[in-house]
Coordinates of all heavy atoms in Angstrom, one line a residue:
A1433 N -13.7 2.9 -45.7 CA -12.9 3.0 -46.9 C -12.0 1.7 -47.0 O -11.7 1.2 -48.1 CB -12.0 4.2 -46.9
L1434 N -11.5 1.3 -45.8 CA -10.6 0.1 -45.8 C -11.3 -1.1 -46.3 O -10.7 -1.9 -47.0 CB -10.1 -0.1 -44.4 CG -9.1 -1.2 -44.2 CD1 -7.8 -0.8 -44.8 CD2 -8.8 -1.5 -42.7
A1435 N -12.6 -1.2 -46.0 CA -13.4 -2.4 -46.4 C -13.8 -2.2 -47.9 O -13.6 -3.2 -48.7 CB -14.6 -2.5 -45.6
K1436 N -14.2 -1.0 -48.3 CA -14.7 -0.8 -49.6 C -13.7 -0.9 -50.7 O -13.9 -1.5 -51.8 CB -15.4 0.5 -49.7 CG -16.0 0.8 -51.1 CD -16.8 2.2 -51.1 CE -17.4 2.5 -52.4 NZ -18.2 3.8 -52.4
Y1437 N -12.5 -0.4 -50.4 CA -11.5 -0.2 -51.5 C -10.4 -1.3 -51.4 O -9.4 -1.1 -52.0 CB -10.9 1.2 -51.4 CG -11.9 2.3 -51.6 CD1 -12.1 3.2 -50.6 CD2 -12.6 2.3 -52.8 CE1 -13.1 4.2 -50.8 CE2 -13.5 3.3 -53.0 CZ -13.7 4.3 -52.0 OH -14.7 5.3 -52.2
Q1438 N -10.7 -2.4 -50.8 CA -9.8 -3.6 -51.0 C -9.7 -4.0 -52.4 O -8.7 -4.4 -52.9 CB -10.3 -4.8 -50.1 CG -10.1 -4.6 -48.6 CD -8.7 -4.6 -48.2 OE1 -7.8 -5.1 -48.9 NE2 -8.4 -3.9 -47.1
D1439 N -10.8 -3.8 -53.1 CA -10.9 -4.0 -54.6 C -10.6 -2.6 -55.2 O -11.4 -1.7 -55.2 CB -12.2 -4.5 -55.0 CG -12.4 -4.7 -56.5 OD1 -11.4 -4.5 -57.2 OD2 -13.4 -5.1 -56.9
P1440 N -9.4 -2.5 -55.9 CA -9.0 -1.2 -56.5 C -9.9 -0.8 -57.6 O -10.0 0.4 -57.9 CB -7.6 -1.4 -57.0 CG -7.5 -2.9 -57.1 CD -8.3 -3.5 -56.0
S1441 N -10.7 -1.7 -58.2 CA -11.6 -1.3 -59.2 C -12.7 -0.3 -58.6 O -13.3 0.5 -59.4 CB -12.3 -2.5 -59.9 OG -13.1 -3.2 -59.0
Q1442 N -13.0 -0.5 -57.3 CA -14.0 0.4 -56.7 C -13.4 1.8 -56.6 O -14.1 2.8 -56.8 CB -14.3 -0.1 -55.3 CG -15.1 -1.4 -55.3 CD -16.4 -1.3 -55.9 OE1 -17.1 -0.3 -55.7 NE2 -16.8 -2.3 -56.7
A1443 N -12.1 1.9 -56.4 CA -11.4 3.2 -56.4 C -11.3 3.8 -57.8 O -11.4 5.0 -58.0 CB -10.0 3.1 -55.8
D1444 N -11.2 3.0 -58.8 CA -11.1 3.5 -60.2 C -12.3 4.2 -60.6 O -12.3 5.1 -61.5 CB -10.8 2.3 -61.1 CG -9.4 1.7 -61.0 OD1 -8.6 2.4 -60.4 OD2 -9.2 0.6 -61.4
K1445 N -13.5 3.9 -60.0 CA -14.7 4.5 -60.3 C -14.7 6.0 -60.0 O -15.5 6.8 -60.4 CB -15.9 3.8 -59.6 CG -16.1 2.4 -60.1 CD -17.2 1.7 -59.3 CE -17.5 0.3 -59.8 NZ -18.5 -0.4 -59.0
L1446 N -13.8 6.4 -59.1 CA -13.7 7.7 -58.6 C -12.9 8.6 -59.6 O -12.9 9.8 -59.4 CB -13.0 7.8 -57.2 CG -13.6 7.0 -56.1 CD1 -12.7 7.0 -54.9 CD2 -15.0 7.6 -55.7
L1447 N -12.2 8.0 -60.5 CA -11.3 8.8 -61.4 C -12.0 9.9 -62.2 O -11.5 10.9 -62.4 CB -10.7 7.8 -62.4 CG -9.6 6.9 -61.9 CD1 -9.1 5.9 -63.0 CD2 -8.4 7.7 -61.3
K1448 N -13.3 9.6 -62.5 CA -14.0 10.6 -63.3 C -14.2 11.9 -62.6 O -14.3 13.0 -63.2 CB -15.4 10.0 -63.8 CG -15.2 8.9 -64.7 CD -16.6 8.3 -65.1 CE -16.5 7.1 -66.1 NZ -17.8 6.6 -66.4
V1449 N -14.3 11.9 -61.3 CA -14.5 13.1 -60.5 C -13.3 13.6 -59.8 O -13.4 14.4 -58.9 CB -15.7 12.8 -59.5 CG1 -17.0 12.5 -60.2 CG2 -15.3 11.6 -58.5
Q1450 N -12.1 13.0 -60.1 CA -10.9 13.4 -59.4 C -9.8 13.8 -60.4 O -8.7 13.3 -60.4 CB -10.4 12.3 -58.5 CG -11.4 12.0 -57.3 CD -10.8 11.1 -56.3 OE1 -9.6 10.9 -56.3 NE2 -11.6 10.7 -55.3
R1451 N -10.2 14.7 -61.3 CA -9.3 15.1 -62.4 C -8.0 15.8 -61.8 O -7.0 15.9 -62.4 CB -10.0 16.0 -63.3 CG -11.2 15.4 -64.0 CD -10.8 14.3 -64.9 NE -11.9 13.7 -65.7 CZ -11.9 12.7 -66.4 NH1 -10.7 12.0 -66.6 NH2 -13.0 12.2 -67.1
E1452 N -8.2 16.4 -60.6 CA -7.1 17.1 -60.0 C -5.8 16.2 -59.7 O -4.8 16.8 -59.5 CB -7.5 17.8 -58.7 CG -7.8 16.9 -57.6 CD -9.3 16.5 -57.5 OE1 -9.9 16.6 -58.6 OE2 -9.8 16.1 -56.5
L1453 N -6.0 14.9 -59.8 CA -4.9 14.1 -59.5 C -3.8 14.3 -60.6 O -2.6 14.1 -60.3 CB -5.3 12.6 -59.5 CG -6.1 12.1 -58.3 CD1 -6.5 10.6 -58.5 CD2 -5.4 12.3 -57.0
D1454 N -4.2 14.6 -61.8 CA -3.3 14.8 -62.9 C -2.5 16.1 -62.7 O -1.5 16.3 -63.4 CB -4.0 14.9 -64.2 CG -4.7 13.5 -64.6 OD1 -4.0 12.5 -64.2 OD2 -5.7 13.5 -65.1
E1455 N -3.0 17.0 -61.9 CA -2.4 18.3 -61.8 C -1.3 18.4 -60.7 O -0.5 19.3 -60.6 CB -3.4 19.4 -61.4 CG -4.5 19.4 -62.5 CD -5.6 20.4 -62.1 OE1 -5.5 21.0 -61.0 OE2 -6.6 20.5 -62.8
T1456 N -1.2 17.3 -59.9 CA -0.2 17.4 -58.8 C 0.8 16.2 -59.0 O 0.5 15.1 -59.0 CB -0.9 17.1 -57.4 OG1 -2.0 18.1 -57.3 CG2 0.1 17.3 -56.3
K1457 N 2.0 16.6 -59.1 CA 3.1 15.6 -59.4 C 3.3 14.8 -58.1 O 3.3 15.3 -57.0 CB 4.4 16.3 -59.8 CG 5.5 15.4 -60.1 CD 6.8 16.2 -60.5 CE 7.9 15.2 -60.8 NZ 9.2 16.0 -61.2
V1458 N 3.6 13.5 -58.3 CA 3.9 12.6 -57.2 C 5.4 12.5 -57.0 O 6.1 12.2 -58.0 CB 3.3 11.2 -57.4 CG1 3.6 10.3 -56.2 CG2 1.8 11.3 -57.6
I1459 N 5.8 12.7 -55.8 CA 7.3 12.5 -55.5 C 7.4 11.1 -55.0 O 6.8 10.7 -54.0 CB 7.7 13.5 -54.3 CG1 7.5 15.0 -54.8 CG2 9.2 13.3 -54.0 CD1 7.7 16.0 -53.7
L1460 N 8.2 10.3 -55.7 CA 8.4 8.9 -55.4 C 9.7 8.7 -54.7 O 10.8 9.1 -55.1 CB 8.4 8.1 -56.7 CG 8.7 6.6 -56.6 CD1 7.6 6.0 -55.7 CD2 8.7 5.9 -58.0
H1461 N 9.6 8.0 -53.5 CA 10.8 7.7 -52.8 C 11.0 6.2 -52.7 O 10.0 5.4 -52.5 CB 10.7 8.2 -51.3 CG 10.5 9.7 -51.2 ND1 11.6 10.5 -51.2 CD2 9.4 10.5 -51.1 CE1 11.2 11.8 -51.1 NE2 9.9 11.8 -51.0

Side-chain angles (χ1 to χ4, degrees):
L1434 187 66
K1436 181 177 182 179
Y1437 298 118
Q1438 287 297 332
D1439 179 0
S1441 67
Q1442 294 297 316
D1444 290 340
K1445 296 177 181 179
L1446 302 171
L1447 288 175
K1448 294 180 180 179
V1449 296
Q1450 295 192 11
R1451 300 295 184 185
E1452 67 270 19
L1453 287 180
D1454 294 324
E1455 300 174 4
T1456 307
K1457 182 179 180 181
V1458 178
I1459 302 173
L1460 177 62
H1461 297 276

